[in-house]
Amino acid sequence: MSDDRSTDETAVQPDGGHASQPLAEPTSKQSALRRFFTRDDLPPYGALRRWLLTTNHKDVGVLYVITALLFLVFGGVLALLMRVELLTPVGDFLSADGYNQTVSTHGLIMVFWFLSPFAFGFANYIVPLQIGAKDLAFPRLNALSYWLYLFSGILIGLSFFQGGSFSGGWTMYAPLSVPNYMPQIGSTTTILALTLFVISVTVSSVNFLTTMHRMRAPGLTLRRMPLFTWSILLTVWMMLFAFAALLAALLILSSDRILGTTYFTAEGTPGSLLWTHLFWFFGHPEVYIVFFPALGAMAEMFQTFTGRRLVGRKWFIVSMLLVALQSFLVWMHHMFLTSINLQIKTLFMITTIGISLPFDLMVFSLIYTMVKGRLRFTTPFLFAFGSLFVFIIGGITGVFLGAVVLDYQLRGTYWVVAHFHYVMVSGVMALVGALYYWYPKLTGRMFNRRLGKLSFWLFFAGFNLLYFPMFIAWETPRRVFDYPAELTGFHQLATVGGFLLGFAFLLVIWNCYRSLWDGEPVSSNPWAHATTAEWAIPSPPPLENYPGMPSYESGSLDFLDRDSVTTDGGTVTKPTPSGHDGHDSHASPWPLGISIGSFVLFLGLSGVATGGIYVPLTIIGGGLLAVTLLGFGMESFSVTEPAVAERWPFAGIENGKLGVWIFLASDIVLFGAFVGSYAFLRAGYGWQAWEIVPHNPIPGLINTYILLTSSFCVVLALVAAQKGRRWGVVAGLTTTLLLGIAFLINKGIEWVELFHHNVWLSTDVQASTFFLTTGLHGLHVVLGLVIVLYMIPRALNGAYLDDERPVEYFGLYWHFVDIVWLFLFPLFYIL
Amino acid sequence: MSVLVGLTVQTFGIGASPAPVILQGQSRTMDEVFPHLFSIFLILGTLVGIVVLSYMVYVGVRYRSDGTTDERADSPQLGELPEGGGDGRKLAVSLTLSAIIVIALISYAWFLLLGVEGGPPEVSGEPSTDEPLSVTVVGEQFSWKYIYPNGNTAYTLRVPNDRPVALTVTSSDVMHTYGIPEYDLKTDAIPAQNTTIWFNPNETGTVEAHCYELCGTGHSEMTSEVIIMDGAAFDGWYAQSTSDATPTPNESTDKVAYAIDRPQSELADNYVLV
Ligand code: HEM
Ligand SMILES: [Cu+2]
Ligand SMILES: [Cu+2]
């Protein structure tokens, strides 16, 4: 690529230091490997190095799309294995356990490793373009999200070779998921892979939220954001909270599997109900998380190809907002067959029906947009149109499931399988449309139109041939290979449809691949009537996207000369300290490194309880992770915040701080889920009958004082930094460190004492909840101390004197950890 | 549009029609309620689907571009700020209509739910014969164990056809879901929890119960026989019955063999049996 600009070396460090040294010139003395990973410049597209080092949102977007398509092939092959097995009504192709693994990993891979990342490929590429940003707020974190995603996927692939992958369904119901029933190491690996994926999602959520709330072009208020961007904004908010609940569930499950806690298996406590609550609290929002981006893309394509503005745009957005909020209030409709009572069933029936109505509105809005339009049935529009078509069928069949009595009978059958595929693969259809829609923007070339249309018709026919017969054969129980013989014909039709659909997918991929060379070059805006900003710049866009500063102040998109930007209008932030000339860094080796470290660590953890090779793997992985994290922290990497931007409602805080806040919001849900689990188990057990684990509340009380004092010290350090007193900062941080260590020592003594009384994680459920919840808090303390340890030497060098923000961010985190303890202490020591 | 209005009226019509006399508080079994409600949903759902989808396709064809008159005075321009494209009233009307249909259907469904949830009827007179038979069903990898009021256990469910049968379902290991499709019955079998279902067996014969929640390797084959006996015959059998020692393997494929061979006790040791 000719328009790559070299990056600037003397940049400010995002964590506030100014001690950046220019990287050494790659000399022959350096090893080849070292040179390979040196971040002196962003290499050209053709070079492997570029793809390993890039942090640019467009590159990362492309990586996401390609990787997601690979996982589509993986999940698709698994699906076809099942469809072949289902050709006959008896088990004759896969083994029983093989079938269970196939059904489970197919579901997991399609939902987590294909559908969402596919959408987030476009989100990565398009959202910054649509809002007029040069990149995401934290480009390195964005690359980190991608690499964590890729390696988590490799991990789930490896799980098949560790005695078998997870076989308990994508819902992972407990206690089937604990080692008593599922002893394979591979199933632990699957759970850890998903955990790693969730970490990637959380990092990504923080990043997107900060970007979208703080980096919009002047004049682009929230209400004026394009619909795709709106859909991503709401998706990411849902992700932030929903995935935190899933993370809690997965951590507890991993602990039950690896450490031997008994959350899901203990006598006298409703462990398996606990899982269903945790999982579905995440699981229902997840339904919208996977569908919203598709909906947003559909809206964009409908507008462009009908040549009309979306009918009732405002109500469309309000509907999405309502759905996003309400999605957290419907989870128990997945539990109508459990022991919950009639009142709760009624309540959740009402919220479920309530959430379906905004979708009616959105569907009508899309249909009415076509009226009086000039519809151009290009390939992307065919996919968008087809997607709406099948979504309507998916929606209607979903209403059946909302009617409790019908759900009683339809649950656990192919009605559900047909319904959710109609909805989710409708989303896939819209996203394939989005792939065609944005393909010219991504590549600068047009795909083969005739092949495109052919791929649509095959897709549409295959889809319906695959899933419609499932409605007719709905009496087939779900997740079985052995079904009533009279339904064989329908299942055989479905299998034929499955292969057709698979072929259509391959055709889409082939088309995109070939057209990279054969496609005719396109202008910046190959689709007439597209309105959003990505179409106003070349295809593909240059590295920093815009020729000048995009602005909507005049009522439509203009590019202002960057240097002459006046700072009235929008919100001005204090310019980042130390000189820079506006060029940001775009390459870093550390995201890849951190991900490899995490990968090895998690692989080790999967079997660490069995010893052998897994112990060294854990140690190596941990070490690698520590080193790479340090490298990430020390790297000089420059990102500028736009001087002027639309930032409601977060005008007063800078990006870093907002990022910390958003992260803490998800952490609140994480702890909330842990505390909720404790309360739920204890209530099921009998609140009073439950024995408090610590024999003596005094160590806990002392620790409360220690933490409070340490928070105070952080405040002192911050004040000292503001006043430019170097030794004050050092003293404040060092005292915090010492107090934190005292906290851990005190806790250690308390735990050792308990171990002496033979109270251990796996002793009983009381001990399990106590050790795991306070242990999670302890880990937060350790993490905080690691950060302080990193900050103290820098403080000695005077790093925080003219930019005290890192101290402030750390303080936010530390106070949060402190406040969590204020809740945990009474809950686990006194009540 | 008029079709939608018609549909709405029809919905209310059905809701008020005398066909199923559903009185509040009256007990209804699932096999009375489900087929009735399912067919209503199916008919209305199909109608609504056909109307909406045909309208959509019609609009698609009707407003197809002929490739010449694409650009109009009010066409959207690149870089413009989005404005809401009017037509709010049309949307509101459509939404209201669909809401009416959905809410009417769901309310009716809820009404029927009350009948199902009420449990077996309290029957006056001769309580000795009409008192429901209560059986506990325990799911265990990979068979269904039935515990009768007299304490006997069996792996085949035998029930009389002259009185209601109430099943209390639980699990001794992992989650399962117990279902008898013939009677439209289904409920979760959850460790340490009880759920209940009930039905009125009528025709004598043998039907099958199946597991509907993935519960491990033997899930696909986790079935059991339900034998509906003549009332008198049942009483005779019941008086002489003894406990089955082990699960009777069903006649299905040999894949189930490993399931039965698996040491149950070893796995289930830590788990409560309610
Ligand atoms: C492309 C997007 C797709 C998504 C997001 C998706 C998602 C899922 C999910 C979540 C499950 C449930 C797994 C479980 O019960 O644990 C599932 C099951 C299944 N899927 Fe897909 N799927 C997709 C495509 C396909 C395709 C292309 C086929 C057929 C060729 C297919 C065939 C099946 C089958 C046979 C099951 C098993 C149903 C059961 O027994 O419960 N799926 N899918
Ligand atoms: Cu849900
Ligand atoms: Cu089962």
Side-chain angles (χ1 to χ4, degrees):
Chain A
M1 282 298 303
S2 52
D3 41 33
D4 283 351
R5 288 178 220 159
S6 63
T7 53
D8 169 48
E9 295 304 340
T10 52
V12 63
Q13 284 186 238
D15 66 347
H18 41 194
S20 69
Q21 312 129 347
L23 277 158
E25 289 291 304
T27 63
S28 54
K29 266 179 254 155
Q30 290 178 328
S31 73
L33 192 67
R34 170 104 192 241
R35 229 169 327 161
F36 188 80
F37 283 112
T38 304
R39 172 198 79 80
D40 50 350
D41 200 347
L42 191 56
Y45 276 128
L48 176 66
R49 263 182 79 214
R50 176 183 183 110
W51 298 105
L52 295 178
L53 300 186
T54 183
T55 65
N56 183 266
H57 73 100
K58 293 186 291 302
D59 297 350
V60 174
V62 170
L63 285 173
Y64 262 107
V65 169
I66 294 173
T67 312
L69 287 172
L70 289 177
F71 282 109
L72 167 70
V73 174
F74 188 0
V77 168
L78 293 170
L80 289 177
L81 286 177
M82 283 189 282
R83 285 311 331 166
V84 170
E85 166 68 67
L86 293 171
L87 277 172
T88 58
V90 293
D92 48 13
F93 176 59
L94 300 169
S95 71
D97 194 47
Y99 190 85
N100 288 349
Q101 287 180 40
T102 313
V103 85
S104 312
T105 45
H106 161 73
L108 289 168
I109 288 174
M110 286 303 201
V111 173
F112 292 108
W113 279 278
F114 164 57
L115 195 38
S116 263
F118 192 43
F120 268 77
F122 300 120
N124 257 292
Y125 204 104
I126 301 298
V127 165
L129 297 183
Q130 287 196 338
I131 66 175
K134 281 197 292 186
D135 205 323
L136 289 180
F138 311 110
R140 280 189 308 170
L141 290 185
N142 194 31
L144 178 62
S145 292
Y146 167 72
W147 291 111
L148 287 177
Y149 154 58
L150 175 67
F151 280 98
S152 68
I154 296 177
L155 206 52
I156 194 176
L158 276 186
S159 70
F160 283 94
F161 303 100
Q162 293 175 290
S165 187
F166 191 82
S167 56
W170 89 284
T171 47
M172 303 175 280
Y173 272 14
L176 179 61
S177 52
V178 303
N180 276 9
Y181 302 103
M182 206 183 283
Q184 296 84 352
I185 293 178
S187 34
T188 311
T189 311
T190 310
I191 292 161
L192 291 174
L194 192 53
T195 311
L196 199 58
F197 179 82
V198 174
I199 294 171
S200 148
V201 167
T202 307
V203 173
S204 182
S205 306
V206 171
N207 206 348
F208 270 90
L209 285 173
T210 308
T211 310
M212 295 167 85
H213 279 296
R214 298 234 348 127
M215 297 168 72
R216 280 170 281 129
L220 193 67
T221 58
L222 274 184
R223 288 180 55 175
R224 289 162 163 182
M225 284 195 318
L227 284 160
F228 180 67
T229 297
W230 253 113
S231 71
I232 295 296
L233 179 68
L234 293 172
T235 304
V236 182
W237 272 115
M238 285 191 282
M239 279 177 147
L240 185 77
F241 297 119
F243 275 88
L246 179 63
L247 183 60
L250 292 170
L251 289 180
I252 293 175
L253 181 56
S254 308
S255 149
D256 266 19
R257 288 192 68 95
I258 300 171
L259 302 175
T261 50
T262 58
Y263 272 77
F264 297 125
T265 48
E267 280 192 30
T269 50
S272 61
L273 279 187
L274 171 65
W275 176 266
T276 53
H277 280 293
L278 286 175
F279 183 82
W280 288 116
F281 184 79
F282 148 77
H284 199 89
E286 170 69 2
V287 174
Y288 303 119
I289 289 170
V290 298
F291 194 72
F292 262 34
L295 194 64
M298 234 195 267
E300 299 278 341
M301 289 184 276
F302 265 73
Q303 298 195 98
T304 298
F305 296 110
T306 59
R308 293 194 71 213
R309 301 171 184 92
L310 192 74
V311 167
R313 177 188 144 90
K314 186 167 71 185
W315 298 113
F316 195 92
I317 294 172
V318 170
S319 298
M320 288 202 291
L321 197 65
L322 278 177
V323 169
L325 290 171
Q326 221 178 319
S327 67
F328 290 95
L329 302 174
V330 297
W331 80 93
M332 279 199 235
H333 68 205
H334 295 275
M335 301 167 63
F336 283 151
L337 288 184
T338 65
S339 41
I340 58 177
N341 65 29
L342 181 62
Q343 285 76 2
I344 296 193
K345 286 176 188 170
T346 306
L347 184 66
F348 278 84
M349 181 188 85
I350 293 171
T351 57
T352 302
I353 292 312
I355 209 169
S356 77
L357 297 178
F359 275 106
D360 294 0
L361 187 139
M362 291 189 262
V363 166
F364 286 123
S365 154
L366 288 172
I367 295 181
Y368 292 148
T369 302
M370 294 193 290
V371 175
K372 300 211 183 78
R374 293 278 179 276
L375 314 192
R376 285 163 293 141
F377 280 90
T378 56
T379 306
F381 188 60
L382 279 174
F383 273 95
F385 188 90
S387 163
L388 183 60
F389 190 96
V390 299
F391 180 69
I392 290 171
I393 300 176
I396 291 175
T397 52
V399 174
F400 285 55
L401 298 169
V404 183
V405 185
L406 294 185
D407 183 67
Y408 281 179
Q409 181 60 350
L410 297 175
R411 196 173 157 74
T413 68
Y414 263 66
W415 185 274
V416 177
V417 177
H419 156 69
F420 71 65
H421 279 102
Y422 257 89
V423 174
M424 280 200 283
V425 188
S426 153
V428 176
M429 211 187 282
L431 290 174
V432 172
L435 178 61
Y436 279 124
Y437 181 55
W438 280 309
Y439 184 84
K441 180 55 59 186
L442 267 63
T443 63
R445 288 178 188 270
M446 187 53 84
F447 51 84
N448 181 326
R449 292 187 171 91
R450 281 190 35 217
L451 215 53
K453 288 194 175 156
L454 179 68
S455 69
F456 168 74
W457 288 111
L458 285 177
F459 194 111
F460 193 74
F463 175 98
N464 286 293
L465 193 59
L466 167 59
Y467 298 121
F468 201 79
M470 293 187 189
F471 282 124
I472 306 174
W474 70 266
E475 283 167 283
T476 317
R478 194 178 159 184
R479 296 161 168 170
V480 303
F481 46 77
D482 186 318
Y483 57 86
E486 64 272 18
L487 301 175
T488 314
F490 297 113
H491 281 289
Q492 289 176 340
L493 272 184
T495 302
V496 174
F499 277 93
L500 205 57
L501 182 60
F503 181 71
F505 272 122
L506 291 183
L507 211 57
V508 173
I509 296 173
W510 169 252
N511 193 351
C512 289
Y513 176 71
R514 271 318 303 173
S515 305
L516 285 178
W517 291 274
D518 298 351
E520 57 190 86
V522 293
S523 66
S524 61
N525 185 8
W527 313 118
H529 302 319
T531 61
T532 44
E534 74 270 27
W535 302 109
I537 48 175
S539 310
L543 189 67
E544 294 196 341
N545 297 345
Y546 292 101
M549 199 192 76
S551 163
Y552 286 91
E553 302 257 80
S554 68
S556 67
L557 179 62
D558 295 316
F559 296 117
L560 310 179
D561 188 353
R562 271 194 217 279
D563 300 331
S564 68
V565 171
T566 54
T567 49
D568 47 65
T571 319
V572 186
T573 31
K574 148 174 109 169
T576 8
S578 91
H580 64 84
D581 60 2
H583 290 308
D584 292 348
S585 310
H586 292 283
S588 165
W590 300 111
L592 174 60
I594 293 175
S595 305
I596 294 175
S598 317
F599 168 78
V600 178
L601 174 65
F602 276 50
L603 187 61
L605 284 177
S606 70
V608 76
T610 62
I613 171 94
Y614 290 104
V615 177
L617 274 180
T618 309
I619 296 168
I620 294 171
L624 210 56
L625 185 58
V627 171
T628 47
L629 278 173
L630 190 67
F632 189 89
M634 310 265 284
E635 184 179 37
S636 68
F637 191 87
S638 137
V639 192
T640 47
E641 285 190 32
V644 197
E646 211 61 58
R647 301 190 157 118
W648 189 87
F650 299 112
I653 355 169
E654 66 282 354
N655 286 1
K657 190 159 163 189
L658 184 60
V660 176
W661 274 14
I662 293 172
F663 168 72
L664 291 183
S666 89
D667 225 21
I668 288 175
V669 176
L670 179 73
F671 274 110
F674 268 85
V675 169
S677 304
Y678 164 74
F680 184 76
L681 291 180
R682 184 163 171 182
Y685 186 87
W687 193 270
Q688 295 305 334
W690 183 279
E691 276 168 49
I692 298 274
V693 174
H695 306 304
N696 179 353
I698 297 302
L701 190 63
I702 295 175
N703 264 349
T704 311
Y705 289 128
I706 293 181
L707 274 193
L708 283 176
T709 318
S710 71
S711 261
F712 185 63
C713 295
V714 178
V715 175
L716 290 183
L718 180 60
V719 173
Q722 279 159 347
K723 294 195 175 151
R725 295 195 195 120
R726 173 191 309 213
W727 290 105
V729 182
V730 175
L733 291 178
T734 312
T735 326
T736 307
L737 179 70
L738 292 177
L739 286 170
I741 292 174
F743 174 92
L744 291 176
I745 291 177
N746 188 9
K747 188 171 213 59
I749 294 174
E750 178 195 63
W751 282 24
V752 169
E753 172 80 21
L754 286 170
F755 299 158
H756 277 310
H757 287 86
N758 281 327
V759 183
W760 172 241
L761 275 154
S762 53
T763 310
D764 54 20
V765 67
Q766 288 90 337
S768 293
T769 52
F770 170 76
F771 283 115
L772 200 63
T773 314
T774 57
L776 181 72
H777 176 265
L779 267 184
H780 276 72
V781 173
V782 172
L783 184 69
L785 295 186
V786 170
I787 299 174
V788 185
L789 208 54
Y790 170 79
M791 289 171 81
I792 290 175
R794 298 173 64 84
L796 272 171
N797 288 331
Y800 306 116
L801 297 183
D802 41 43
D803 181 11
E804 73 281 356
R805 286 177 300 170
V807 183
E808 191 186 349
Y809 302 163
F810 169 72
L812 282 178
Y813 172 80
W814 194 252
H815 302 324
F816 167 78
V817 172
D818 203 358
I819 292 170
V820 169
W821 181 255
L822 290 183
F823 282 93
L824 296 188
F825 172 63
L827 265 176
F828 285 92
Y829 286 81
I830 299 174
L831 285 180
Chain B
M1 204 49 58
S2 60
V3 184
L4 279 183
V5 178
L7 275 180
T8 319
V9 173
Q10 211 181 333
T11 315
F12 280 117
I14 288 176
S17 79
V21 189
I22 308 288
L23 298 172
Q24 184 148 20
Q26 182 178 354
S27 295
R28 292 278 148 186
T29 56
M30 270 302 284
D31 63 328
E32 287 172 296
V33 168
F34 178 79
H36 165 70
L37 197 61
F38 189 53
S39 53
I40 293 181
F41 269 67
L42 215 49
I43 292 168
L44 273 177
T46 312
L47 277 175
V48 171
I50 289 177
V51 169
V52 177
L53 293 178
S54 328
Y55 179 66
M56 180 182 162
V57 172
Y58 162 77
V59 171
V61 173
R62 164 81 176 67
Y63 295 103
R64 222 188 140 108
S65 155
D66 57 8
T68 54
T69 52
D70 276 355
E71 194 62 39
R72 289 180 295 181
D74 63 343
S75 289
Q77 300 301 315
L78 180 59
E80 71 174 23
L81 279 171
E83 301 295 332
D87 281 331
R89 267 197 49 185
K90 210 157 128 192
L91 269 184
V93 172
S94 319
L95 179 66
T96 313
L97 278 177
S98 65
I100 289 173
I101 298 181
V102 169
I103 292 172
L105 275 176
I106 292 289
S107 314
Y108 181 53
W110 184 73
F111 194 56
L112 295 183
L113 173 69
L114 295 182
V116 174
E117 294 277 303
E122 294 292 331
V123 192
S124 51
E126 299 145 301
S128 52
T129 55
D130 270 2
E131 195 147 286
L133 171 71
S134 298
V135 181
T136 299
V137 183
V138 183
E140 47 186 37
Q141 288 179 325
F142 297 98
S143 55
W144 297 104
K145 182 161 82 184
Y146 301 99
I147 306 174
Y148 288 90
N150 64 6
N152 284 347
T153 60
Y155 290 87
T156 299
L157 178 62
R158 283 167 202 271
V159 293
N161 71 343
D162 60 353
R163 65 203 95 152
V165 175
L167 301 176
T168 301
V169 181
T170 185
S171 162
S172 65
D173 41 43
V174 302
M175 244 173 119
H176 307 268
T177 296
Y178 182 74
I180 310 179
E182 205 76 20
Y183 285 92
D184 297 312
L185 285 180
K186 199 175 284 165
T187 191
D188 284 349
I190 310 171
Q193 304 280 315
N194 290 324
T195 55
T196 51
I197 42 176
W198 70 283
F199 65 119
N200 276 321
N202 37 44
E203 273 170 48
T204 57
T206 304
V207 296
E208 199 167 67
H210 200 285
C211 181
Y212 287 86
E213 183 62 72
L214 183 56
C215 56
T217 353
H219 167 62
S220 280
E221 320 273 355
M222 184 167 162
T223 55
S224 116
E225 282 187 346
V226 178
I227 303 175
I228 294 138
M229 305 170 78
D230 178 69
F234 174 82
D235 289 337
W237 169 82
Y238 188 62
Q240 322 212 322
S241 63
T242 54
S243 291
D244 292 357
T246 50
T248 356
N250 358 45
E251 73 290 358
S252 37
T253 71
D254 47 0
K255 272 195 181 172
V256 83
Y258 64 87
I260 308 294
D261 291 345
R262 223 165 134 195
Q264 305 269 337
S265 48
E266 194 185 300
L267 290 177
D269 251 336
N270 304 331
Y271 298 85
V272 238
L273 183 113
V274 173

